[in-house]
């Protein structure tokens, strides 16, 4: 998954569409960030399980 960070132009367009559009943008970005964080956590756990990196104390 790749996180799409909207350009200034895209953000301004969404802003002009109104409050609901801005809220939707924030919710979408938050969901994408959460999904990516969960995937990164799973990868870290797999790396630790395989013994490729020592777990920090």
């Amino acid at each position: 998954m790749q996180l799409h960070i909207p350009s200034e132009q895209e953000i301004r367009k969404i802003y002009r569409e109104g409050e609901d559009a801005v809220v939707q943008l924030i919710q979408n970005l938050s969901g994408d960030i959460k999904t990516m964080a969960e995937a990164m956590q799973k990868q870290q756990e797999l790396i630790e399980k395989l013994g490729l990196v020592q777990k920090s104390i």
Side-chain angles (χ1 to χ4, degrees):
M1 170 180 211
Q2 186 171 357
L3 180 63
H4 172 70
I5 304 296
S7 67
E8 180 180 349
Q9 183 179 8
E10 291 172 301
I11 293 170
R12 289 183 183 279
K13 179 181 178 275
I14 291 168
Y15 178 79
R16 286 190 297 273
E17 291 174 11
E19 183 178 336
D20 290 343
V22 172
V23 169
Q24 186 64 46
L25 171 65
I26 293 168
Q27 288 176 328
N28 290 346
L29 287 171
S30 295
D32 290 349
I33 291 168
K34 181 180 177 186
T35 300
M36 290 184 75
E38 290 169 350
M40 290 173 65
Q41 180 64 39
K42 287 179 184 177
Q43 288 178 343
Q44 181 65 33
E45 290 169 0
L46 180 59
I47 289 169
E48 290 171 2
K49 182 178 179 180
L50 294 174
L52 299 176
V53 173
Q54 289 184 341
K55 189 172 184 174
S56 304
I57 297 176

